[in-house]
Structures are given as structure tokens and as C-alpha cells.
Amino acid sequence: MSRPSLPSSLPSSPTSRNKKSVDLIDGAGLRTSDRRAAAVILAAAAGAFVPAEPVGTLVFDRLWLAASAGTVAYLASRTRRLPLYLAAALVITLASGRPAFLIAVAALGLAIVAGRHMERSAVFTRGLAGGLAMVSILWSSLGASPGRATLQLVAVIVVIASSALRYMPPSERRMVVRGLVGLTVASLVATAAAGVGMALSQNDVASAALGFEQGIATARAGDIDTAQGLLEQSATDIDRARTRLERLGFFGRMVPGTAQNVDAILTAFDDVRVVVDRGSRTASALDLDSLTLQQGRLDVGVLAGLRNPLHRLNDSLEAVIEGIDDRLPGPLLPPIRERLDDLRRIAADGQQETSLAAEAAEVLPGALGADGERRYLVLFTSPAEARGRFGFPGAYAEVVVDDGRLDVVDHGSVSQTFLDAATPDQSVFDPGDSHVRPYLSYGVTRSLLSVTIPMDFPAVATLAAGLWEANGREPVDGVLRFDPAALAALVAVTGPVTVDGVDGPLTADNVEEFLLRGQYLQFPDEQAPRREVLETVSDVVFDRLQNTDLPSPRVLGELFAPLVAEGHLNVFTFADAAEAFLDRIGVGGALTAPTGDALLVTSVNSTGNKIDSFLRRSVTYTATDEAGQRSADLEIDLSNDAPGSGLPFYVIGSFLDPPPPLGTNRSTLLLHTAMPTEEVRVGGELVDVVQTREDGWWVAHVPVEIPPQSSVRVEARLVSDGPVDFDDTLRIEPGGGTEPDHYDVEIRHGAGSPTTFSGPVTTPTVVR
């Protein structure tokens, strides 16, 4: 029996229908592969417009962004509806910023639309939804931490890829996996090569950094030839390190993460190379032999000529710092971040010194008479007779500087020259000056002997210049102060001084002690010889400065820097630019208003003797914070080690009428605090005190009398006059004197551990 033939008009089999539906888009003649390609192209185009920088190179950035969005679009076109929903929802949750959120919403909308159709007929919609989800992640990465951006990226790709690979035809799956593995291996190889380059360059970088530091330091010390060699070697080390890393890291600059590390180091190399070049040129311009005082003259033209090279070097160092700061937030490996931190520290240290040097070259030539002569008053003070922070002005000198040439035109004893001078016109002074007003009763506007009592040296200089001119002298452009320690440093560079009647020469080792105590013992009953000692020492020293050569600026800086920090030397000029520079280097002696809790304890001698070389102060400060307010107990133990006999009258006697017993220290204790004083006790007895204000400071004037070989305790209760925002710090200003004050501090704040400090205070100190 023959088999009947099937009609030719019968529909095709289900298999052929399914195949056709896969190959054709409903209502159009496009194949599914074309639809998938369209989704990939659109997603890649959208990704290319994201302003992200995965590798930091324009062309490769666009390629990476386009490839990332296109790849996810391709995988999403193969995934199923639930994973796509999950990925889109995750992207919305993690979206950061308006563009990322709107794109994420669009991706979720497309995912929902795709889910309403057959899996086979929504290839384009699914692919575009996944691609836009990736674009949203790329937008979210802008400003986000590298770790967070990477976590978002991995989470979404895992969700989409796990579904896509599961339903992908085996041949296609193998091709995708091989491509991803190949890309990963290539990235790892490129990264490893870059890592080798970075590792091999480490020694060269360290050598270059050390050479730069040593080169600049050697240049400052005056050894220009050695400095040039060090800086040239540093440049060679940088070039070798850069060449090695550039070759080995070439392909690594195409890998996200690795590219930032390679570029950060290469850019730092370039920046440091510029700095080394400019440092070398600046060192070659340093003629330090001409910058020293030679036969009483400093070549201000050489100093002014350094202004532009130093400014250029300073600009280069600032560029290094800014460039590293821009790169530190990036995805850097710990060793790279550590190396950049080292380079930044070196640049910051150099920039600070170079900035000061450039400013010095800018303002000091004018102060040294480059534009015409400048006249300065020099006061030689002694803490043996207390005058606040600065001591008693025993001698003076009038100095003229013209085109760097130093000339002493007058010198003498302050008391001998100005004690009997007519009372100056008070209209030239500003009694409303907050730095002067608390001390008007001490005669600071009437006598040069009292001019050093204010705590602010610019105020002292202004008063001294006014009194100087009121006594018929020519106006001065600034005021300098040297105490015995600073004068001893000058003796160290000018040589020992021989004084008639003094056994042996006065040297840097013994002149300070002799001026504080020895002269009063050697001349117990002779006022004139005692005065002549300080006059003679200062006169000889300044005469030698007019006719001698001084060491290099580096040597002088190392000698005088500790003295400046401890307040033994102050300089003030009425030229604003120069004064700002002097403040920056700490020599200006300004007393700034307290911004938090602060303390300054000092004394003013009331008897006119030299007994304060025997005075010791010990300060205990206990503060408590409670309910937004601070209260404190302040205790000052004053010890007078002077004997009641056996020392010259000028040391332990008194010019008061009637005088206190010999050896008695009678003075006014000045308590400068950030909070008002509520009560004061001296020796346990409640006393009335005058309380004034000085530029944000409360000043309590406490009269005290300490018998010989005795101690007196002064107690003060301080309470804030309202809510305060003091932190756990206390700023302590040294109070002058022949010995540093000893402080014991405790700041109690809540239930936590108190902030404490114990020790001598020789420089401005912040207790934290």
C-alpha cells in the first residue's frame, strides 16, 4: 500500500517556525544578530560620552568606556528577565548623581518592557537596558571612591553574565570566555611589567630625592660646586627611572588602575625633574660669598637677583605638591601612594624654605638700604630687671644701613642718656592701642626705661621710635632688640671682647652670665663701670660688624634660630612687607590674640634693682569644662633666691622710699589669660587687683612682695564669661626671665582622659 503524499500547502514544522522567529524581527526583515548589534552600538556610543577617565588617556578612555557598555549590552541581550530586573534595580539603588539615576531609571524601564515580550523577541530592548545600566554605573563612578565603583561594576556584571553565559550557545560561550580570559591575562601581564618597572625605579627615585635634598642643603651651606654635582646626579637618577618605567609600563598605561599608578609616577618624575633643573640653576646663581657681610657690607644686589630664580623654584615645588594632591585620591597601590607621599613631603619641605628665601630676596634689599639709607634703633635688654617678656633696656645703638653698608652712628646707656630728658609730647602716642593701654600707668609713653613693658614687640618698637624722636633724634625705620643670650651669639661670630677692669676677655661662653650677674658682683658700688660693660660689649661687637666678615647665612641661621624661637632677639620694621616677612620667620615678637585658651605669666620690677635674676616661677594650671563653659585654677609659686645681705645694693637694694628690706623682690605679676579673673589670693589672702584688656587677653595686675630666700604663692580663679568653644588645647607664651618657667597643666573634659603637660616653657607651646 502506497504512502499518501502530504499536501504542499501544509504549514511548516514547529522547529522551522521557531528558527524563523529567532532569525527575524517581528514586522521587519532584520535578523536577531542585527538587533543585538544595534543594542551594542547604541550602548557603546552612550558609554563613550561618559566623562570618566578609567586610564587617563583620551583615546583609550573612550575605547574602554564604549567597550564596557557595549560588552554588558551584548551579555544582557542573552540574559533572562529576572536577572535583568535585578541588575537594573541594583543600579538604581547604587546610582550616585542625577545623570546616573535618570539613566538607571531608563534601564529599568527598558528591562520591564523587555520582560513583557517573548525572550526571543526582546533582544534589542534587553541589550539596551543592560548597556544603559552599565552607563549609569560609569556615571556613578565620577567622584566615587575606586573601591565603591569597582564593587558596583562587579555586582552588576556578575548578575548579568551569570545568566547570559548559562543560556548562550556553547560555541559562543567558549568564544566569550576565551576573550575575557585573554583580556584578563593581557592586563595582568601589562600590569606585572609596569610593576617591575616601578620596582626597578624605586632605588633611582630614592637616590634622586636624597640628592635633591642634599643638593639644596649644600647650596644653602655655601658649597655650590658640590651642590651642583648632587643636583645633576639627581637629574640623572630621575631620567633613568623615568625611561625604565616608561618602557616597561607602556602597555600598563592601557589598563584601568595600573594606568593611574604608572601615570602618577611618571608625572611626578616630570615634575621633580623640573624642580631639580630649577634647583640646579638657582644653586648656580647663589653667590653666598657675596651674601655674607664682608667688611661691614652686604651685597644687596646679589640678594635681589635671587628673587626671580627663587620664585620660579617655589612655583615648581608648588606644582609638584598640587600634582601629587590631584593623584592621591586615585586608585593607587600602597607602595605608589607611599612613594608619592615621600615626594610630596620633600617638595613641601623645600617649598616652605624656598618661599621664605624668595620673600627675603623680595623685601630685605629695601630694608638694608638698597633704595636709600635706613635708620634703626637697637635696644640691648636684660631680664635681670624684669620688664615683662623683654627685660630692661640698658643700652642702645643707632645704626644706619645704606646699600648694605652698616654704620653705628651713636650708642650709649639708656638711663644715662634719657633718664633726665624732658617728658615727651603724649599726643604722638595712641592711648587707645590695646597693646599699650594696660601699661600706661607704668610710664611706657614717658620713658625709654619702661618702653619694653608691653607684651607685644611691635607696640614696644612703636613706643620706642616715638620716644626716640620726641627726644630730638632722627626718625627710625625700625627697632631691634638683643638680650644677653643674643649678644653672646654675636660675640661668637665677632670674637671675644676685652673690657677695662674685667678679669679676662668676655667670650660667647661667659658674656651672658657676666651681664646677668657677674658685673654686679665685680662692681658692687660703682654705677659707671657697670654701665660701661654693656655699652662696651655692644659697642665693640657692632664696631666689628662694620669691619669684619661673617659666616654664611646657613651658619648664622643655625646659630640664631634657637635664640629667635626663645625670644632673645626681635626685629621690627615700619615697612609692611618686611614686617610680614619678619613675622613669618618668628622674629617679629608680636603677641597675637588668643583663639582658644591661652596663658602668659610675667613680671614687672617695682624697685629698680637687678634682683630678678634670682626669681623663679612655677605655674600650675587646672581647667575643667562643664556645660559648655570652662573654669580654671591658676597657681603661681614665686621663689626669690636672693639673700638678704652679701650682694651689691644694685642687686638686692631698692630705690623706693621707704625701701623694703634688702633682698626683697617687689614686683607686679602680670597674668595674661583668655578668661577673666574672678578672684586672686596672694599668700592665701584675698587681694583686689586691677584687670585690663589687651587684644583679646585679660590682664590681671597683681602686686607681690617676696622676702629674701622665700616663696609666695599666687592663686587665681578663672571663669569664662559665657559659653566657650575652647578645644582641649592650651597655648602657653613664655614669660621672659633668666630661667624658663615650669608648667604643670591638666585640662579635664568630660569623662575622658585629661590633657596634661609638665615641663619648662622656653618657646610658644601648645598643649594638646
Side-chain angles (χ1 to χ4, degrees), residues 242-258:
R242 195 191 195 291
T243 300
R244 182 177 288 138
L245 180 55
E246 194 171 38
R247 291 173 178 171
L248 290 172
F250 178 79
F251 291 105
R253 301 180 74 179
M254 304 176 193
V255 181
T258 303

Side-chain angles (χ1 to χ4, degrees), residues 9 208 237 503 523 556 564 589:
S9 61
D237 292 336
D503 297 334
F523 306 108
L556 292 176
V564 170

Side-chain angles (χ1 to χ4, degrees), residues 349-697:
D349 290 344
Q351 192 270 338
Q352 185 175 11
E353 291 194 14
T354 305
S355 175
L356 285 175
E359 191 174 354
E362 185 84 34
V363 303
L364 290 187
L368 296 173
D371 305 319
E373 73 172 25
R374 295 290 186 270
R375 189 176 301 270
Y376 297 96
L377 171 62
V378 183
L379 297 176
F380 299 95
T381 64
S382 172
E385 183 176 340
R387 290 287 191 276
R389 296 201 297 163
F390 303 119
F392 175 79
Y396 72 90
E398 183 183 4
V399 177
V400 172
V401 185
D402 188 8
D403 194 28
R405 175 71 190 181
L406 176 71
D407 290 302
V408 179
V409 297
D410 189 22
H411 65 90
S413 164
V414 172
S415 59
Q416 190 173 21
T417 305
F418 298 102
L419 183 60
D420 298 327
T423 300
D425 179 7
Q426 297 295 294
S427 65
V428 301
F429 303 105
D430 178 13
D433 185 342
S434 66
H435 287 298
V436 174
R437 188 173 59 250
Y439 314 103
L440 290 175
S441 63
Y442 298 87
V444 296
T445 61
R446 299 180 182 277
S447 172
L448 272 172
L449 295 174
S450 300
V451 76
T452 51
I453 292 177
M455 303 297 116
D456 179 71
F457 189 74
V460 170
T462 302
L463 290 170
L467 286 167
W468 178 263
E469 189 174 351
N471 280 279
R473 303 304 183 100
E474 289 192 50
V476 295
D477 298 290
V479 178
L480 292 76
R481 182 189 73 88
F482 292 84
D483 74 359
L487 198 55
L490 286 177
V491 171
V493 297
T494 60
V497 178
T498 300
V499 180
D500 290 341
V502 176
D503 297 334
L506 296 177
T507 67
D509 296 327
N510 65 16
V511 66
E512 181 180 2
E513 174 64 24
F514 188 84
L515 292 175
L516 289 175
R517 299 182 183 88
Q519 61 176 323
Y520 307 112
L521 299 178
Q522 184 158 349
F523 306 108
D525 301 316
E526 300 177 74
Q527 183 176 359
R530 180 180 57 79
R531 285 176 174 168
E532 290 170 358
V533 173
L534 182 57
E535 290 179 51
T536 301
V537 173
S538 58
D539 182 32
V540 170
V541 167
F542 271 73
D543 180 70
R544 289 176 179 172
L545 289 176
Q546 299 176 85
N547 301 284
T548 191
D549 296 343
L550 292 187
S552 70
R554 177 72 169 179
V555 173
L556 292 176
E558 292 176 348
L559 178 63
F560 282 97
L563 299 172
V564 170
E566 295 176 4
H568 299 291
L569 167 65
N570 297 111
V571 181
F572 177 84
T573 173
F574 294 104
D576 292 341
E579 180 54 26
F581 167 72
L582 295 174
D583 281 339
R584 281 192 65 189
I585 64 174
V587 77
L591 180 67
T592 57
T595 56
D597 204 1
L599 186 60
L600 164 61
V601 178
T602 189
S603 304
V604 175
N605 184 294
S606 302
T607 53
N609 58 19
K610 309 303 175 186
I611 201 169
D612 293 305
S613 60
F614 296 95
L615 180 65
R616 305 290 180 268
R617 290 189 296 260
S618 181
V619 182
T620 300
Y621 186 77
T622 305
T624 302
D625 295 332
E626 187 174 359
Q629 290 188 305
R630 173 168 291 187
S631 60
D633 292 314
L634 175 62
E635 296 178 354
I636 305 101
D637 289 313
L638 302 170
S639 299
N640 176 20
D641 297 337
S645 62
L647 291 177
F649 178 83
Y650 281 106
V651 179
I652 61 174
S654 172
F655 294 95
L656 298 178
D657 187 17
L662 290 176
T664 300
N665 187 310
R666 182 181 290 180
S667 59
T668 300
L669 186 68
L670 300 177
L671 309 180
H672 288 68
T673 58
M675 298 182 290
T677 302
E678 192 173 74
E679 66 176 32
V680 176
R681 295 180 182 272
V682 178
E685 298 293 329
L686 188 65
V687 298
D688 293 328
V689 299
V690 174
Q691 192 164 200
T692 57
R693 292 283 278 168
E694 179 183 357
D695 191 29
W697 293 86

